[in-house]
């Protein structure tokens, strides 16, 4: 993706956030008898955010010479993030030890294309290590 | 005399066996993560932060600070042997360090880096010790308007040097301010931006954001790396790591230059060790009788930036401890750590917690000695860290992140937030949004809003209070001038040059 488009879309997203902050903050008290209300500060940074987002969008359209953004490795990152999210979702069902072992197995086997034996040993060893260090040695509760 | 008495008290704390152990753990861990390209001190400190709740706060800050300055020592190893900086502060070291290594002088380069780090790191601590207490006394006179102006100035400095686009850096700061505002407003008990979720009533935990953005974001950004780069072998034996007398003579000005420039740049919010090391390198080259040697393996080209990035650590702790204003991502995490342990960094921090402050100062002297002793003979061992398979390292970081966040709150909702902030951290890296301003906005947001509202309560709602008091007027004027720099072509060119 070209930086131009990336800046445009990130500006649009942040502009949306700025607009949301303005709308929500304007419902809260701006200035009361005791001084500024809960809406005072958010309203101002919401306005500044909206203005700056607009500036980012405009400059992304007018600056033709912007460098392209390097998206190499993005696929790996998104796959890893999805796997991490699946692990988080599975925590209430399988617990950390099994969920983390499955995540490690996936990363080593699928993402780094290591042999199944290496992946299994790594997954089991890391999971066991976490179990030994955190709940057993340090008394830290695992999810 | 106060300083001497404080230092004696500090050594009494730092020399306790348990604190010596944690100092050692911190500097070793710092060196290891400094060696590893991709994993920086803010990510490591953020990940370990939840575990420090099990420790006594003095031991914990000694260990976390050890990671901070230890990483600066370790960062030079990969710069010299691999031409890959272990962390951004060591980029300048690559220029001459790798050239020295290619000429068979890797040992001397590593040795001079360790010696420069030790000298400048010690000078940095000396500066911290001498400047922090008087600065804290001066800032006791500050009231809410001055605090608001000071925080605005700190954020403006971070925005100035946060990235090429000041608009993006400013937007990241505003997102941080918004995140800080999520939860219940303490003045009016109004719940703000909670999306109807009970879990957000008490706000978003700093640990979740810091670990997500720094640790998970970093893992995602490096996930496609396969490792296995070939490093230049390290000569065995301490004798082969010792620089020659000529090297030491050639570097004598670089030691002073790195120490002084590094410290004063460290005190400025936003500048950071990368800029300190480049400025120091530039000054060294400018005053050298043989500038043509730079870039071809000049020993001063290693000593100056390595000294500067270590001295910067002491400088960066000055505003963090005395004013409660962090200047970088790492000091923001350290500040949050102090707050989470129940301390209030600011003008009263030193007088209310002398054992903590002086214990930290003394531990930094001890830690620098430990690092010098460790780094000379053990560089070959630390270089082995480069062989650690990333397919083991990355799951470990993800696992520690989850355990760290869950152990703080016991909430799976926070683990989901962690995943969200991890993705945000990755996207920010890809889209060239700096993460330090966001984290600083989050850390300072609550205090900044409080100071602004208190100021306006003092003045019955008149904003003029911010400009009618001389100190706040000067600081706010500076903040505005800084934010307007892109409009001045010459200054903006200087800024972009400094960043590049």
């Amino acid at each position: 993706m070209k930086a131009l488009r990336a800046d445009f879309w990130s500006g649009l997203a942040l502009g949306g956030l700025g607009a949301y902050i303005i709308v929500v903050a304007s419902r809260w008290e701006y200035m009361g008898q005791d001084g500024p209300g809960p809406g005072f500060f958010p309203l101002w940074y919401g306005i500044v955010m909206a203005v700056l987002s607009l500036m980012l969008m405009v400059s992304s359209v007018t600056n033709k010479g912007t460098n392209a953004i390097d998206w190499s490795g993005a696929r790996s990152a998104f796959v890893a993030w999805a796997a991490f999210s699946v692990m988080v979702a599975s925590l209430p069902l399988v617990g950390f030890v099994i969920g983390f072992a499955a995540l490690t197995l996936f990363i080593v086997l699928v993402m780094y294309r290591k042999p199944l034996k290496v992946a299994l040993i790594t997954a089991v060893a890391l999971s066991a290590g976490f179990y030994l260090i955190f709940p057993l040695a340090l008394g830290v509760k695992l999810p | 005399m106060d300083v001497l008495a404080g230092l004696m008290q500090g050594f009494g704390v730092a020399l306790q066996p348990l604190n010596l152990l944690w100092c050692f753990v911190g500097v070793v861990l710092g060196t290891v993560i400094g060696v590893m390209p991709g994993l920086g001190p803010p990510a490591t400190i953020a990940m370990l932060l939840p575990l420090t709740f099990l420790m006594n706060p003095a031991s914990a800050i000694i260990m976390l600070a050890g990671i901070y300055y230890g990483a600066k020592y370790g960062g030079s190893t990969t710069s010299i042997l691999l031409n890959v900086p272990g962390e951004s502060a060591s980029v300048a070291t690559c220029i001459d360090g790798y050239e020295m290594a290619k000429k068979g002088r890797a040992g001397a380069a590593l040795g001079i880096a360790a010696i420069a780090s030790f000298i400048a790191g010690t000078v940095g601590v000396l500066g911290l010790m001498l400047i922090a207490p008087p600065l804290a006394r001066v800032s006791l006179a500050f009231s809410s308007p001055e605090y608001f102006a000071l925080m605005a100035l700190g954020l403006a400095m971070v925005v100035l040097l946060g990235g090429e686009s000041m608009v993006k850096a400013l937007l990241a700061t505003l997102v941080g301010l918004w995140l800080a505002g999520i939860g219940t407003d303490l003045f009016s008990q109004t719940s703000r931006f909670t999306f109807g979720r009970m879990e957000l009533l008490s706000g978003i935990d700093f640990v979740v954001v810091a670990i997500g953005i720094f640790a998970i974001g970093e893992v995602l950004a490096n996930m496609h790396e396969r490792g296995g780069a070939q490093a230049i072998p390290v000569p065995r034996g301490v004798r082969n790591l010792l620089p020659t007398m000529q090297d030491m003579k050639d570097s004598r000005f670089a030691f002073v230059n790195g120490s002084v420039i590094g410290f004063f740049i460290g005190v400025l919010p936003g500048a950071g060790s990368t800029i300190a090391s480049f400025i120091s390198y530039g000054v060294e080259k400018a005053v050298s009788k043989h500038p043509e040697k730079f870039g071809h393996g000049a020993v001063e080209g290693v000593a100056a930036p390595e000294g500067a990035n270590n001295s910067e650590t002491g400088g960066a702790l000055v505003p963090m401890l005395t004013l409660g204003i962090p200047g970088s991502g790492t000091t923001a995490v350290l500040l949050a750590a102090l707050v989470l342990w129940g301390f209030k960094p600011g003008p009263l921090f030193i007088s209310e917690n002398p054992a903590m402050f002086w214990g930290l100062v003394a531990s930094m002297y001890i830690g620098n000695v430990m690092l010098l002793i460790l780094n000379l003979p053990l560089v070959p061992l630390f270089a082995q860290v480069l062989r650690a398979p990333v397919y083991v390292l990355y799951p470990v970081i993800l696992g520690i992140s989850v355990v760290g966040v869950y152990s703080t709150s016991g909430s799976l909702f926070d683990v989901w937030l962690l995943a969200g902030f991890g993705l945000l951290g990755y996207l920010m890296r890809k889209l060239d949004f700096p993460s330090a301003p966001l984290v600083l906005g989050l850390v300072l947001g609550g205090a900044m809003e409080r100071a602004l509202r208190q100021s306006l309560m003092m003045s019955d709602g008149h904003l003029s209070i911010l400009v009618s008091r001389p100190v706040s007027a000067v600081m706010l004027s500076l903040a505005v001038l800084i934010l307007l720099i892109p409009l001045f072509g010459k200054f903006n060119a200087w800024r972009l040059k400094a960043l590049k």
Side-chain angles (χ1 to χ4, degrees):
Chain A
M1 193 193 283
K2 289 274 169 62
L4 183 143
R5 277 174 55 198
D7 280 357
F8 181 84
W9 290 114
S10 50
L12 190 67
L14 287 165
L17 177 62
Y20 163 76
I21 293 171
I22 294 168
V23 169
V24 176
S26 56
R27 291 185 200 139
W28 299 323
E29 188 178 43
Y30 179 77
M31 189 68 78
Q33 282 189 329
D34 298 330
F40 181 86
F41 195 52
L43 186 67
W44 280 106
Y45 64 66
I47 291 171
V48 178
M49 189 184 278
V51 171
L52 289 172
S53 306
L54 194 65
M55 281 170 65
L56 187 63
M57 288 165 69
V58 170
S59 70
S60 75
V61 175
T62 52
N63 285 351
K64 299 291 180 196
T66 319
N67 294 326
I69 285 185
D70 175 19
W71 282 106
S72 62
R75 193 169 160 270
S76 300
F78 288 122
V79 170
W81 183 78
F84 181 71
S85 299
V86 169
M87 182 201 74
V88 176
S90 71
L91 287 176
L93 302 171
V94 299
F96 178 81
V97 174
I98 293 176
F100 178 64
L103 174 70
T104 307
L105 187 71
F106 177 80
I107 290 175
V108 181
L109 187 67
V110 180
M111 303 198 65
Y112 283 92
R113 301 189 187 282
K114 296 290 168 192
L116 179 64
K117 195 175 152 190
V118 174
L120 276 172
I121 291 171
T122 311
V124 172
L126 290 187
S127 237
F130 267 78
Y131 183 71
L132 288 173
I133 292 171
F134 290 103
L136 291 189
L138 297 174
V140 173
K141 220 173 105 184
L142 292 179
Chain B
M1 203 59 197
D2 281 353
V3 171
L4 270 181
L7 198 57
M8 293 307 289
Q9 183 185 10
F11 275 108
V13 174
L15 287 171
Q16 287 170 14
L18 196 62
N19 289 339
L20 276 177
L21 175 71
W22 285 120
C23 183
F24 180 76
V25 170
V27 297
V28 170
L29 204 54
T31 309
V32 169
I33 64 124
V35 170
M36 269 180 211
L39 187 63
T44 311
I45 295 173
M47 276 194 299
L48 293 177
L49 193 51
L51 298 179
T52 60
F53 296 140
L54 303 168
M55 298 164 68
N56 130 19
S59 306
I61 193 73
I62 285 171
M63 183 189 75
L64 296 184
I67 294 173
Y68 182 23
Y69 57 83
K72 306 282 178 69
Y73 276 73
S76 60
T77 306
T78 42
S79 297
I80 292 166
L81 300 179
L82 206 59
N83 203 23
V84 174
E87 53 149 5
S88 60
S90 301
V91 176
T93 310
C94 289
I95 304 170
D96 281 289
Y98 188 63
E99 287 300 318
M100 281 181 77
K102 280 202 300 189
K103 290 175 180 169
R105 302 206 65 219
L110 290 163
I112 206 80
I115 292 167
S117 298
F118 170 73
I119 294 172
T122 308
V123 171
V125 185
L126 197 68
L128 166 69
M129 183 179 89
L130 296 175
I131 289 180
L135 184 64
R137 281 194 288 276
V138 169
S139 61
L140 272 174
F142 287 6
S143 185
S144 298
E146 286 79 18
Y147 267 108
F148 173 77
L150 186 63
M151 284 184 263
L153 178 60
L155 287 178
M157 285 291 291
V158 172
V159 166
L160 174 72
L161 298 166
E164 276 188 40
S165 164
M166 278 178 69
V167 170
K168 286 184 175 180
L170 207 48
L171 279 166
T173 310
L174 294 172
V175 173
L177 292 181
W178 173 64
L179 291 172
I182 291 175
T184 307
D185 171 39
L186 294 178
F187 285 78
S188 62
Q189 302 304 312
T190 308
S191 58
R192 300 189 297 186
F193 307 116
T194 54
F195 306 98
R197 300 286 311 207
M198 292 283 287
E199 297 93 334
L200 290 175
L201 282 176
S202 55
I204 294 180
D205 200 326
F206 174 82
V207 171
V208 177
V209 183
I211 297 181
I213 297 228
F214 289 128
I216 308 277
E218 223 155 63
V219 168
L220 295 178
N222 292 310
M223 196 48 103
H224 65 289
E225 298 287 346
R226 290 293 179 264
Q230 281 301 308
I232 291 173
V234 185
R236 301 271 162 181
V238 178
R239 190 175 293 174
N240 293 320
L241 287 163
L242 288 176
T244 61
M245 280 312 288
Q246 187 59 44
D247 289 337
M248 294 295 284
K249 198 178 158 196
D250 289 345
S251 302
R252 64 191 190 281
F253 178 72
F255 294 144
V256 180
N257 156 19
S259 304
V260 176
I261 289 179
F263 180 79
F264 284 105
I265 291 205
V267 174
L268 298 176
S273 47
T274 309
I275 289 179
S277 59
F278 271 104
I279 292 182
S280 179
Y281 182 86
V283 168
E284 193 61 37
K285 189 176 173 182
V287 300
S288 172
K289 286 177 186 163
H290 302 285
E292 71 284 354
K293 285 197 314 186
F294 282 72
H296 302 285
V299 70
E300 313 92 288
V302 176
E306 273 307 302
N309 75 34
N310 279 273
S311 182
E312 185 268 351
T313 310
L317 291 176
V318 173
M320 193 273 272
L321 293 171
T322 59
L323 304 172
I325 311 282
S328 65
T330 313
T331 45
V333 182
L334 284 174
L335 179 85
L338 287 169
V339 173
L340 289 169
W341 299 327
F343 296 95
K344 199 179 168 203
L348 294 173
F349 177 77
I350 298 175
S351 55
E352 286 177 353
N353 309 286
M356 185 92 164
F357 173 76
W358 291 107
L360 171 66
V361 168
S363 79
M364 289 175 76
Y365 283 117
I366 297 167
N368 272 296
V369 175
M370 282 180 180
L371 281 164
L372 182 70
I373 296 170
L374 280 172
N375 269 266
L376 283 179
L378 296 184
V379 161
L381 187 69
F382 285 126
Q384 297 300 313
V385 171
L386 290 168
R387 293 190 180 177
V390 286
Y391 63 82
V392 174
L393 179 68
Y394 292 156
V396 168
I397 295 172
L398 295 175
I400 291 177
S401 301
V402 171
V403 174
V405 165
Y406 188 77
S407 69
T408 310
S409 62
S411 156
L412 273 179
F413 180 78
D414 278 358
V415 183
W416 273 113
L417 284 180
L418 173 76
F421 283 113
L423 186 63
L424 177 68
Y426 171 73
L427 290 174
M428 286 178 75
R429 277 173 179 78
K430 282 289 169 190
L431 298 172
D432 212 16
F433 280 82
S435 50
L438 185 150
V439 173
L440 257 67
L442 173 65
V443 170
L444 296 179
M448 201 170 174
E449 180 176 10
R450 206 162 40 245
L452 177 63
R453 287 168 77 173
Q454 281 167 349
S455 304
L456 294 178
M457 284 159 88
M458 285 161 65
S459 66
D460 292 326
H462 295 293
L463 278 166
S464 58
I465 190 171
L466 299 172
V467 287
S468 60
R469 298 163 70 107
V471 176
S472 66
V474 168
M475 287 194 282
L476 280 177
S477 307
L478 280 173
V480 171
L481 277 176
I482 286 169
L483 294 177
L484 292 178
I485 274 184
L487 300 179
F488 304 103
K490 201 173 173 183
F491 287 110
N492 199 40
W494 168 82
R495 183 184 77 88
L496 292 172
K497 200 175 167 190
L499 283 168
K500 279 176 181 164

